[in-house]
Amino acid sequence: MTPEQVAAASKPLVLELGEAFSRCPGTLRRARLLGISGWAFYITGRAGALGDVRAETVAAALGFIAPDAVADGWDAAARTVPPVEVAAANLAECCRWGAQHLGDVPRVARLVGLLERIVDAAEASGMPLFAAWRAMPVPDRSPGARTAVGLLLLREHFAGAYLLAVRAAGMTPLEAVLAGPEGEAGAAACGWPPPYPPVGPLVRRRLWAEAVTDRLASTAFRALGPGEGAELLDLLTAVRLHLRRPVPAG
């Protein structure tokens, strides 16, 4: 497999697994402990790695969330706790979840090694959020925690690449969301108010942007040797199956 093929095939797995910790009830409880809403925790937990910046900067870095919705969460959190502390709490929850849910994944140490090589090799130019997260100190060095953090970082790398590709395609972030699988429901969930522009003419541009995303992200996957791309896909698939397994009763 070429690096671009590995990037394209791994992208849906990374996007799913890289945010799985954020849906954990324990992660949501952390927001209450900080005295902020779940939305404020999501926005600031993700963008707080940038430091004490203005909401407009955060909206530009996140891209696909409406600026007013970003400001609502960012400013509300900032009145209670410094953004970098929220980001650190979010990272701690990512580590906790990873240690709890991924520590017993088969060959987890091998997966950690592959993920960290990709993340270390990734080009951060034009991706401030990815760069900021990669610079954050990881509080837990256990294999499960490192796996979760590696997935989080690689997800941010894909997200940054997609934002660059969308703009290169001549689309706005809103147009990209509308042309995506969730359509207007996705736009509403990201805080964009109607009325919305027609979707039809946007679909081909979005598909082009998806291909460019894979091309931009693929440079990081050049860190893998022959056969390691297929191995990575097998390991990521095993993680997804591991997380979906039934929990024994009692």
Side-chain angles (χ1 to χ4, degrees):
M1 300 179 73
T2 67
E4 192 167 332
Q5 288 171 330
V6 177
S10 65
K11 182 170 62 179
L13 290 163
V14 169
L15 295 180
E16 175 187 339
L17 299 173
E19 68 167 4
F21 82 95
S22 66
R23 297 189 294 272
C24 174
T27 302
L28 300 177
R29 281 196 296 271
R30 179 60 74 97
R32 293 195 293 272
L33 292 174
L34 290 172
I36 59 179
S37 69
W39 179 250
F41 184 79
Y42 172 76
I43 293 295
T44 311
R46 187 175 168 203
L50 296 170
D52 188 13
V53 298
R54 295 182 181 275
E56 292 85 354
T57 303
V58 176
L62 293 175
F64 298 103
I65 301 175
D68 286 347
V70 169
D72 286 345
W74 182 261
D75 291 341
R79 288 192 291 269
T80 302
V81 59
V84 71
E85 289 188 20
V86 183
N90 195 41
L91 184 58
E93 289 302 319
C94 179
C95 289
R96 176 198 58 77
W97 178 88
Q100 180 179 351
H101 295 278
L102 304 181
D104 59 346
V105 170
R107 303 183 66 214
V108 65
R110 176 60 172 164
L111 177 57
V112 166
L114 294 176
L115 288 172
E116 291 182 346
R117 275 162 55 194
I118 296 167
V119 168
D120 289 345
E123 174 57 57
S125 299
M127 302 181 187
L129 200 53
F130 166 71
W133 269 108
R134 189 166 61 177
M136 290 278 289
V138 179
D140 185 342
R141 301 301 299 173
S142 66
R146 287 165 58 198
T147 298
V149 173
L151 290 166
L152 166 65
L153 290 172
L154 194 50
R155 186 182 189 280
E156 289 294 353
H157 184 62
F158 273 120
Y162 184 51
L163 182 57
L164 290 174
V166 163
R167 301 302 293 123
M171 302 173 71
T172 66
L174 170 59
E175 289 174 334
V177 174
L178 288 170
E182 297 181 5
E184 292 187 359
C190 290
W192 299 98
Y196 302 120
V199 175
L202 304 174
V203 174
R204 183 173 295 181
R205 288 188 181 186
R206 188 187 70 82
L207 293 175
W208 182 87
E210 291 280 2
V212 172
T213 299
D214 300 336
R215 197 170 309 130
L216 290 172
S218 69
T219 58
F221 290 84
R222 294 175 189 168
L224 302 182
E228 289 184 330
E231 183 183 8
L232 173 69
L233 293 174
D234 288 342
L235 292 172
L236 290 174
T237 300
V239 171
R240 181 166 63 179
L241 292 173
H242 180 82
L243 292 174
R244 291 180 176 181
R245 73 193 190 284
V247 178

